[in-house]
Structures are given as structure tokens and as C-alpha cells.
Amino acid sequence: MADYKIPKLNGEGYVEIPEVREDTMQGNGPFIAKPDFQEAMHFPTDFAMSAEGGRFELVPDWKNRALEKLDDLRHRYRSLQVYLDICVKCGACTDKCHYFIGTQDAKNMPVARQDLLRKVYRRYFTFAGKYFPKLVGAVDLTEELLEDWYNYYHQCSQCRRCSVFCPYGIDTAEISMAAREILNHIGRGQKYCNEIVGKVFKIGNNLGLPEMALADTLEGLEEDVEEDNGIKVRFPLDEVGAEVLLVTPSADFFAEPHVDGLIGYAKVFHEAGISWTLSSYASEAANFGMFIGSYENMRRLALRIREAAIKLKVKRIVFGECGHAWRVAYSFLNTLAGPFDFLDQRYPVPQHILEVTWGLIQDGKLKLDKSQNDDMVLTFHDSCNVARGSRMGNKPGGQFEIPRNVIKAVCNHFIDMPADTIHEATYCCGGGGGLLTDDLMDLRIKGAQPRMEALRYVTEQKGVTHMATICAICKSQFTRVIPYYGFSMDQIVSVHQLVSNALVLQRQVSVQARL
Ligand code: SF4
Ligand code: SF4
């Protein structure tokens, strides 16, 4: 493991608010997207590597272009202008961000992060800021400030925890998305996010896994499951006429513990007699267009799912375990790519795999042997975008209840982490919002601190051995950072991995598409 300074945990189950320090995370930010990556996103490409070769230049006339974009966004999204106008500096959000807690950097306090954009907005778009800038903290947009934008808006995972505690509900995530959208228009796109979105447009998924490789992977999974269970559970690809189109994060195809979740979904469909298929064209649930605040790219990604559903003539769209994908699906899919009037309206459009599984459990359609998970004492990490950006089921709080209901239906031992770290107060894993990249490893380790604190407490005091989660980013982030805190990677599990362990397969043959 590389050498990082690891924040100390107290093991008492509460988060200690650190002393504020200046500029502990001052820097250049993550790797910048080169013009090639910007092209696929329809962002400007008229910038190049500097003559010294160290860093990309900004686009010509960058300042006017940044301000034009800010003007455009504040008119397009009323919420953005309201958020920039209404902060009263009460300070309620200051200690609520995991990145502030982990780094101590004053600019990682949510209100300070917002102010990086707010002070420019005030300078150019408010009467007081134009004529009395010092009185209202308004400042000119300079290259130095722009570097702070790039750096600190990529130290926000857009988790929305701060907004839960703000008396006005100011959503720093939206401000952070707007800042990234502006940056993308002046030659400061982020390599990690933009390269990934480009891969989806070109190949169909974040990983750049082509159709043949995907088909091979699924065939391999069928063989593995048959070897383990003696029953052929199908993993269909591009099957026209299947009832369900499963859209899942591409990490589910091979990463651990994600793939164990995919095996769980397949077993659930098999046992319930539901025909289903994956799509090689829409082989990705993730929608990084949201992270970069780009409505246009978010829509282009969402439309691929609609096109796949029409082509495959499915009746339902079901999403696998992915936090931000579910937020985009639940909160925006109908607006971005609807109407979905060609689907079976008796089911939610779209539906989460946990809603499917919980419905089947309630209807007695799945035979479960909970003792298969008796080697584990589970806790559950609520993923930010599910907890604070969506719902499940038909009542408020379903997004907290349904995953726990499913875990309790398939496991005998479940213990929640402390109340101020779960449900709507959950802490981000530290790698969300487009920050799951190696060039931000130091930030990711520090940002995981509050969740690690809560996990340490339940492992030491309550005997918890494993933490389940329903987000591909959380799974990847935790398996990577928890060794730095003295845990082991295999302590992170998919919820459908637990379902898979407990599910007793009785049906001999999977139901196939009927067309
Ligand atoms: S949205 Fe999350 S990461 Fe961003 S400032 Fe708020 S608490 Fe921090
Ligand atoms: S809690 Fe809300 S109003 Fe108070 S400082 Fe933070 S953003 Fe501003």
C-alpha cells in the first residue's frame, strides 16, 4: 500500500470535529481532460498543452466564456440562483462534510465551497457586488480563483449531506455541478469523468468492455453458477422480447464484490420465472453526466437506455445496485428520456432490483435459507444518492427500509451503525461524485474517515464483521480504502450477494424471452 497519512479513529462511534486549518488540500486538483476527451462530450476543444508541457492552457477568452456559462446556468436552473442568493452564513453546514472532517481544510466546509462560486456570482450579477464588492464579499474571477474552483469542486462528492442540515436546504452538490459545467467549457474538464462518459458513447459502458467480451463474461458466469449450484441460471444479452431490461453498473460484470450481486439478480429472476436481458448498447447504469453537471450529456446517456428498451421490446426496466445511477433513474429518467408509455404501467418506471426482490420475498416467491449467511454479522451503509436523492417503494423512507428488510430476510444477524451516520444523515464513502480515481487517493482516504469511524465502532463494540452496500462506487471505494484503516477488502459485500447466498434454487430451467 502506498504511503498516506491516515486520519486517526477514536472507536467511540462519534465523529470528532477537527480544528480548522487553511489550505491543507490546496493543489492542482485531479488530472485535466485533454481536448480529445472533451470532443465526445461536445465541450470546447480550443485549448492545448502549455509550452512548458506541465498543464493545459485555458481556452482563449476564458473569463468571458466562464461568466457567460454562469449566466446561462443561473437562468436555466432557478435553484442555482436561489442557492447563491439565500445563504445567511449561519454555519450549520460547516462541520457536516466528510471531506472537511477528514482534511480540516477550511475550503472544504460546504459554505466555503459554495462561496468560491458565490463571490464571483455576486461580483458580476448583483447590484451590490458590482458597486460595493468589498461590502458583500464579491471578487473578480481570476486564474488563481479558477484553480481553487477546479481543486475544491473536485473535493465535493455531491453527497448532499450538508443540505440536510442547512435550514434553507441549500444544496452544495448543485453548486458543485454548476462549477464543473463551467469548468468543462473553458478547458478544465476532469479526465476521469470525461474519459468514462466518452467510453459509454463509443462502446456502451464505463469500462470500455466491448460486446464480445461482455458476452464471454456472461457465459463464464453461467458456467460458474452451474458448477456451484448444479442448475443453469441464464445471464442473457440482447434477447428481444424479454420481460425485463436490467441496467446495471458495468463493475457488476467482473469486480468484487459487485459481480456477486449480479449473480444474485440473475438467481432472483431465474427463481421468480421472470425473463430478462442485459443490453450491449446500454450496458451501463452509471450516468457521470450528473457528476459534471451536464444536462446534455446526462440526457444522451439516459436516451441509450430508452433506445435499448424499445429495441429489445421489454416491458420493464430494472436498475441494479448503483447509487447515483438510481438517483438519475428515479429522479430524472422520465424527464430525460420519457415518456415510457411503451412499458408495462403496472410496474414502477424504472424499478430498483431491491424493489423487485423485496416484492417477491413478501409474496413468498423465494425460498430462503438465512443460515447460509450465519458466518457474517452485517451492517448497512446507506449510499448518498439513494438516501438523499431518491426513494424506493411507495412511501417516504422506503430507500432506508427496503434494503434493510431484504438483508434481514436473508441474514440472521444485522446491526445498524450509529444513528447520526445512517439514513438521511449517512456519510459518503469518500469516492462518490466522480472522485473515484487514483489521482485523488489521498482525498478518498481522508474522506472515508467518518464512515470508518462508525464501522470501527460497530465492529469493536457490536461484533459486526461485514458491511453491505448497494452502490458500485461505494463498493469500489471501500474495498480500496478500508485496508488503510485496518479492515480487509472482503468485509464489503453486495446486498444481492447475501440474497444469492440464501436463495434456495428450485426451478430447474430459466424462463426465456418469448419472441
Ligand atoms: S455535498 Fe457532500 S461533499 Fe459536497 S460539500 Fe456537501 S457534504 Fe461535502
Ligand atoms: S447551513 Fe445553509 S444558510 Fe447556513 S451557512 Fe450553510 S449553506 Fe449557508
Side-chain angles (χ1 to χ4, degrees), residues 113-149:
R113 196 187 312 286
Q114 295 165 21
D115 274 356
L116 293 173
L117 188 66
R118 183 177 285 121
K119 56 193 179 185
V120 173
Y121 158 74
R122 284 199 173 142
R123 180 74 181 102
Y124 297 95
F125 300 107
T126 67
F127 179 84
K130 278 180 191 165
Y131 297 102
F132 313 104
K134 284 200 176 130
L135 277 183
V136 293
V139 302
D140 287 347
L141 179 56
T142 60
E143 245 182 275
E144 197 188 354
L145 181 56
L146 201 70
E147 293 308 313
D148 265 359
W149 281 15

Short mmCIF file of all heavy atoms in Angstrom, two decimals, residues 113-149:
data_model
loop_
_atom_site.label_atom_id
_atom_site.label_comp_id
_atom_site.label_asym_id
_atom_site.label_seq_id
_atom_site.Cartn_x
_atom_site.Cartn_y
_atom_site.Cartn_z
N ARG A 113 -17.06 26.24 0.33
CA ARG A 113 -17.02 25.69 -1.04
C ARG A 113 -18.01 26.46 -1.92
O ARG A 113 -17.68 26.89 -3.03
CB ARG A 113 -17.39 24.19 -1.01
CG ARG A 113 -16.99 23.48 -2.28
CD ARG A 113 -17.49 22.05 -2.34
NE ARG A 113 -17.27 21.21 -1.19
CZ ARG A 113 -16.11 20.68 -0.81
NH1 ARG A 113 -15.03 20.94 -1.50
NH2 ARG A 113 -16.02 19.91 0.26
N GLN A 114 -19.21 26.66 -1.40
CA GLN A 114 -20.21 27.43 -2.17
C GLN A 114 -19.69 28.83 -2.49
O GLN A 114 -19.90 29.38 -3.57
CB GLN A 114 -21.49 27.61 -1.36
CG GLN A 114 -22.26 26.37 -1.03
CD GLN A 114 -23.28 26.63 0.07
OE1 GLN A 114 -23.68 27.76 0.31
NE2 GLN A 114 -23.71 25.58 0.73
N ASP A 115 -19.03 29.45 -1.49
CA ASP A 115 -18.60 30.85 -1.64
C ASP A 115 -17.59 31.04 -2.76
O ASP A 115 -17.45 32.15 -3.29
CB ASP A 115 -18.04 31.38 -0.32
CG ASP A 115 -19.14 31.93 0.58
OD1 ASP A 115 -20.31 31.95 0.14
OD2 ASP A 115 -18.84 32.33 1.72
N LEU A 116 -16.87 29.98 -3.11
CA LEU A 116 -15.91 30.11 -4.22
C LEU A 116 -16.63 30.55 -5.49
O LEU A 116 -16.11 31.34 -6.28
CB LEU A 116 -15.19 28.78 -4.46
CG LEU A 116 -14.25 28.31 -3.34
CD1 LEU A 116 -13.75 26.90 -3.65
CD2 LEU A 116 -13.08 29.25 -3.15
N LEU A 117 -17.86 30.04 -5.68
CA LEU A 117 -18.65 30.46 -6.85
C LEU A 117 -19.49 31.69 -6.51
O LEU A 117 -19.65 32.61 -7.33
CB LEU A 117 -19.56 29.32 -7.30
CG LEU A 117 -20.30 29.54 -8.61
CD1 LEU A 117 -19.33 29.60 -9.79
CD2 LEU A 117 -21.31 28.42 -8.86
N ARG A 118 -20.01 31.71 -5.28
CA ARG A 118 -20.94 32.78 -4.90
C ARG A 118 -20.28 34.16 -5.01
O ARG A 118 -20.90 35.12 -5.46
CB ARG A 118 -21.44 32.53 -3.47
CG ARG A 118 -22.46 33.53 -2.99
CD ARG A 118 -22.97 33.19 -1.60
NE ARG A 118 -23.90 32.07 -1.60
CZ ARG A 118 -23.73 30.93 -0.92
NH1 ARG A 118 -22.65 30.76 -0.17
NH2 ARG A 118 -24.63 29.98 -0.98
N LYS A 119 -19.01 34.25 -4.62
CA LYS A 119 -18.39 35.58 -4.62
C LYS A 119 -18.18 36.10 -6.04
O LYS A 119 -18.18 37.31 -6.26
CB LYS A 119 -17.10 35.59 -3.80
CG LYS A 119 -16.02 34.62 -4.17
CD LYS A 119 -14.99 34.58 -3.04
CE LYS A 119 -13.88 33.60 -3.33
NZ LYS A 119 -12.94 33.47 -2.22
N VAL A 120 -18.06 35.20 -7.00
CA VAL A 120 -17.96 35.62 -8.40
C VAL A 120 -19.35 36.00 -8.93
O VAL A 120 -19.53 37.01 -9.60
CB VAL A 120 -17.33 34.50 -9.25
CG1 VAL A 120 -17.37 34.84 -10.74
CG2 VAL A 120 -15.90 34.26 -8.80
N TYR A 121 -20.32 35.17 -8.57
CA TYR A 121 -21.71 35.48 -8.96
C TYR A 121 -22.09 36.88 -8.46
O TYR A 121 -22.63 37.70 -9.20
CB TYR A 121 -22.65 34.41 -8.38
CG TYR A 121 -24.07 34.87 -8.25
CD1 TYR A 121 -24.89 35.01 -9.37
CD2 TYR A 121 -24.60 35.21 -6.98
CE1 TYR A 121 -26.20 35.46 -9.24
CE2 TYR A 121 -25.89 35.65 -6.86
CZ TYR A 121 -26.69 35.78 -7.98
OH TYR A 121 -27.98 36.24 -7.87
N ARG A 122 -21.75 37.15 -7.21
CA ARG A 122 -22.10 38.46 -6.64
C ARG A 122 -21.42 39.60 -7.40
O ARG A 122 -22.02 40.62 -7.67
CB ARG A 122 -21.68 38.53 -5.17
CG ARG A 122 -22.61 37.75 -4.28
CD ARG A 122 -22.47 38.18 -2.84
NE ARG A 122 -23.48 37.53 -2.03
CZ ARG A 122 -23.30 37.08 -0.82
NH1 ARG A 122 -22.12 37.19 -0.24
NH2 ARG A 122 -24.29 36.51 -0.16
N ARG A 123 -20.16 39.39 -7.74
CA ARG A 123 -19.37 40.46 -8.38
C ARG A 123 -19.96 40.86 -9.73
O ARG A 123 -19.99 42.04 -10.09
CB ARG A 123 -17.93 39.97 -8.56
CG ARG A 123 -17.01 40.97 -9.23
CD ARG A 123 -16.66 42.10 -8.27
NE ARG A 123 -15.80 43.09 -8.88
CZ ARG A 123 -16.21 44.28 -9.34
NH1 ARG A 123 -17.49 44.61 -9.27
NH2 ARG A 123 -15.36 45.12 -9.87
N TYR A 124 -20.42 39.86 -10.49
CA TYR A 124 -20.82 40.16 -11.87
C TYR A 124 -22.33 40.21 -12.08
O TYR A 124 -22.79 40.75 -13.07
CB TYR A 124 -20.21 39.12 -12.83
CG TYR A 124 -18.70 39.18 -12.83
CD1 TYR A 124 -17.95 38.32 -12.02
CD2 TYR A 124 -18.01 40.12 -13.61
CE1 TYR A 124 -16.56 38.38 -12.00
CE2 TYR A 124 -16.62 40.18 -13.60
CZ TYR A 124 -15.90 39.31 -12.79
OH TYR A 124 -14.52 39.39 -12.77
N PHE A 125 -23.10 39.66 -11.12
CA PHE A 125 -24.53 39.55 -11.40
C PHE A 125 -25.43 40.16 -10.32
O PHE A 125 -26.64 39.95 -10.35
CB PHE A 125 -24.90 38.06 -11.62
CG PHE A 125 -24.17 37.44 -12.78
CD1 PHE A 125 -23.14 36.53 -12.56
CD2 PHE A 125 -24.47 37.80 -14.08
CE1 PHE A 125 -22.44 35.98 -13.62
CE2 PHE A 125 -23.77 37.25 -15.16
CZ PHE A 125 -22.76 36.33 -14.93
N THR A 126 -24.86 40.87 -9.35
CA THR A 126 -25.72 41.53 -8.35
C THR A 126 -25.34 43.01 -8.27
O THR A 126 -24.17 43.38 -8.50
CB THR A 126 -25.58 40.90 -6.94
OG1 THR A 126 -24.26 41.16 -6.44
CG2 THR A 126 -25.84 39.41 -6.96
N PHE A 127 -26.32 43.83 -7.93
CA PHE A 127 -26.09 45.28 -7.85
C PHE A 127 -25.02 45.59 -6.80
O PHE A 127 -24.05 46.30 -7.06
CB PHE A 127 -27.42 45.97 -7.48
CG PHE A 127 -27.29 47.46 -7.34
CD1 PHE A 127 -27.37 48.29 -8.45
CD2 PHE A 127 -27.08 48.04 -6.09
CE1 PHE A 127 -27.24 49.66 -8.33
CE2 PHE A 127 -26.94 49.41 -5.95
CZ PHE A 127 -27.01 50.23 -7.08
N ALA A 128 -25.19 45.01 -5.61
CA ALA A 128 -24.25 45.30 -4.52
C ALA A 128 -22.84 44.85 -4.87
O ALA A 128 -21.85 45.55 -4.60
CB ALA A 128 -24.71 44.61 -3.24
N GLY A 129 -22.73 43.69 -5.50
CA GLY A 129 -21.41 43.16 -5.85
C GLY A 129 -20.72 43.98 -6.93
O GLY A 129 -19.49 44.09 -6.95
N LYS A 130 -21.50 44.58 -7.84
CA LYS A 130 -20.91 45.39 -8.91
C LYS A 130 -20.37 46.70 -8.35
O LYS A 130 -19.31 47.17 -8.77
CB LYS A 130 -21.97 45.69 -9.96
CG LYS A 130 -22.16 44.56 -10.95
CD LYS A 130 -23.23 44.93 -11.98
CE LYS A 130 -23.61 43.71 -12.78
NZ LYS A 130 -24.83 43.85 -13.52
N TYR A 131 -21.10 47.30 -7.39
CA TYR A 131 -20.73 48.65 -6.95
C TYR A 131 -20.07 48.69 -5.58
O TYR A 131 -19.33 49.63 -5.28
CB TYR A 131 -21.97 49.55 -6.99
CG TYR A 131 -22.49 49.68 -8.41
CD1 TYR A 131 -23.60 48.95 -8.83
CD2 TYR A 131 -21.80 50.45 -9.35
CE1 TYR A 131 -24.04 49.00 -10.15
CE2 TYR A 131 -22.24 50.52 -10.68
CZ TYR A 131 -23.36 49.79 -11.06
OH TYR A 131 -23.77 49.84 -12.38
N PHE A 132 -20.33 47.72 -4.73
CA PHE A 132 -19.72 47.71 -3.39
C PHE A 132 -19.16 46.32 -3.10
O PHE A 132 -19.56 45.66 -2.13
CB PHE A 132 -20.76 48.07 -2.31
CG PHE A 132 -21.60 49.27 -2.66
CD1 PHE A 132 -22.91 49.11 -3.09
CD2 PHE A 132 -21.08 50.55 -2.56
CE1 PHE A 132 -23.68 50.21 -3.44
CE2 PHE A 132 -21.84 51.66 -2.91
CZ PHE A 132 -23.15 51.49 -3.35
N PRO A 133 -18.25 45.83 -3.93
CA PRO A 133 -17.83 44.43 -3.81
C PRO A 133 -17.30 44.06 -2.43
O PRO A 133 -17.61 42.98 -1.93
CB PRO A 133 -16.74 44.30 -4.89
CG PRO A 133 -16.37 45.68 -5.29
CD PRO A 133 -17.55 46.55 -5.01
N LYS A 134 -16.51 44.94 -1.83
CA LYS A 134 -15.92 44.56 -0.53
C LYS A 134 -16.99 44.34 0.52
O LYS A 134 -16.84 43.49 1.41
CB LYS A 134 -14.95 45.65 -0.09
CG LYS A 134 -13.65 45.60 -0.85
CD LYS A 134 -12.54 46.30 -0.14
CE LYS A 134 -11.26 46.11 -0.92
NZ LYS A 134 -10.55 47.36 -1.16
N LEU A 135 -18.07 45.14 0.44
CA LEU A 135 -19.13 45.03 1.46
C LEU A 135 -19.81 43.66 1.44
O LEU A 135 -20.29 43.19 2.46
CB LEU A 135 -20.22 46.09 1.18
CG LEU A 135 -19.97 47.50 1.71
CD1 LEU A 135 -21.18 48.36 1.40
CD2 LEU A 135 -19.72 47.46 3.22
N VAL A 136 -19.89 43.05 0.26
CA VAL A 136 -20.65 41.79 0.15
C VAL A 136 -19.75 40.60 -0.21
O VAL A 136 -20.24 39.55 -0.61
CB VAL A 136 -21.79 41.92 -0.90
CG1 VAL A 136 -22.85 42.89 -0.43
CG2 VAL A 136 -21.24 42.33 -2.26
N GLY A 137 -18.46 40.78 -0.06
CA GLY A 137 -17.53 39.66 -0.30
C GLY A 137 -17.51 39.24 -1.76
O GLY A 137 -17.34 38.05 -2.05
N ALA A 138 -17.69 40.20 -2.67
CA ALA A 138 -17.65 39.87 -4.10
C ALA A 138 -16.23 40.07 -4.62
O ALA A 138 -15.56 41.03 -4.24
CB ALA A 138 -18.62 40.76 -4.86
N VAL A 139 -15.78 39.18 -5.50
CA VAL A 139 -14.41 39.31 -6.04
C VAL A 139 -14.40 39.02 -7.53
O VAL A 139 -15.29 38.35 -8.06
CB VAL A 139 -13.41 38.36 -5.34
CG1 VAL A 139 -13.35 38.59 -3.85
CG2 VAL A 139 -13.73 36.91 -5.66
N ASP A 140 -13.36 39.53 -8.19
CA ASP A 140 -13.17 39.27 -9.62
C ASP A 140 -12.81 37.80 -9.84
O ASP A 140 -12.20 37.17 -8.98
CB ASP A 140 -12.02 40.12 -10.16
CG ASP A 140 -12.42 41.59 -10.27
OD1 ASP A 140 -13.63 41.90 -10.17
OD2 ASP A 140 -11.51 42.43 -10.42
N LEU A 141 -13.18 37.31 -11.01
CA LEU A 141 -12.76 35.96 -11.38
C LEU A 141 -11.33 36.03 -11.91
O LEU A 141 -11.06 36.70 -12.91
CB LEU A 141 -13.69 35.40 -12.47
CG LEU A 141 -13.35 34.00 -12.99
CD1 LEU A 141 -13.30 32.97 -11.86
CD2 LEU A 141 -14.35 33.56 -14.05
N THR A 142 -10.42 35.39 -11.22
CA THR A 142 -9.01 35.39 -11.62
C THR A 142 -8.58 33.94 -11.89
O THR A 142 -9.27 33.00 -11.50
CB THR A 142 -8.12 35.92 -10.48
OG1 THR A 142 -8.30 35.04 -9.35
CG2 THR A 142 -8.50 37.35 -10.09
N GLU A 143 -7.42 33.82 -12.51
CA GLU A 143 -6.92 32.47 -12.78
C GLU A 143 -6.65 31.72 -11.49
O GLU A 143 -6.85 30.51 -11.39
CB GLU A 143 -5.64 32.55 -13.61
CG GLU A 143 -5.87 31.95 -14.98
CD GLU A 143 -4.67 31.94 -15.87
OE1 GLU A 143 -4.43 32.97 -16.53
OE2 GLU A 143 -3.99 30.91 -15.90
N GLU A 144 -6.21 32.46 -10.47
CA GLU A 144 -5.93 31.83 -9.18
C GLU A 144 -7.21 31.27 -8.56
O GLU A 144 -7.24 30.14 -8.06
CB GLU A 144 -5.33 32.90 -8.26
CG GLU A 144 -4.63 32.33 -7.07
CD GLU A 144 -4.22 33.44 -6.10
OE1 GLU A 144 -4.38 34.63 -6.42
OE2 GLU A 144 -3.78 33.08 -5.00
N LEU A 145 -8.27 32.06 -8.64
CA LEU A 145 -9.55 31.60 -8.08
C LEU A 145 -10.07 30.40 -8.89
O LEU A 145 -10.64 29.45 -8.33
CB LEU A 145 -10.57 32.75 -8.10
CG LEU A 145 -11.95 32.43 -7.53
CD1 LEU A 145 -11.87 31.90 -6.10
CD2 LEU A 145 -12.85 33.67 -7.56
N LEU A 146 -9.84 30.47 -10.19
CA LEU A 146 -10.28 29.37 -11.04
C LEU A 146 -9.60 28.06 -10.64
O LEU A 146 -10.21 26.99 -10.68
CB LEU A 146 -9.92 29.70 -12.49
CG LEU A 146 -10.71 28.95 -13.54
CD1 LEU A 146 -12.15 29.41 -13.57
CD2 LEU A 146 -10.07 29.17 -14.90
N GLU A 147 -8.34 28.14 -10.25
CA GLU A 147 -7.63 26.94 -9.80
C GLU A 147 -8.28 26.40 -8.52
O GLU A 147 -8.38 25.19 -8.31
CB GLU A 147 -6.14 27.22 -9.57
CG GLU A 147 -5.37 27.53 -10.85
CD GLU A 147 -5.56 26.46 -11.94
OE1 GLU A 147 -5.45 25.26 -11.64
OE2 GLU A 147 -5.85 26.85 -13.10
N ASP A 148 -8.72 27.31 -7.65
CA ASP A 148 -9.45 26.87 -6.46
C ASP A 148 -10.77 26.20 -6.84
O ASP A 148 -11.17 25.21 -6.23
CB ASP A 148 -9.75 28.07 -5.54
CG ASP A 148 -8.71 28.24 -4.44
OD1 ASP A 148 -7.77 27.41 -4.39
OD2 ASP A 148 -8.82 29.19 -3.65
N TRP A 149 -11.45 26.77 -7.82
CA TRP A 149 -12.68 26.12 -8.29
C TRP A 149 -12.38 24.68 -8.70
O TRP A 149 -13.05 23.76 -8.27
CB TRP A 149 -13.24 26.83 -9.53
CG TRP A 149 -14.00 28.09 -9.29
CD1 TRP A 149 -14.03 28.83 -8.15
CD2 TRP A 149 -14.84 28.75 -10.24
NE1 TRP A 149 -14.83 29.93 -8.34
CE2 TRP A 149 -15.34 29.90 -9.60
CE3 TRP A 149 -15.21 28.50 -11.56
CZ2 TRP A 149 -16.20 30.80 -10.25
CZ3 TRP A 149 -16.06 29.38 -12.21
CH2 TRP A 149 -16.55 30.52 -11.55
#
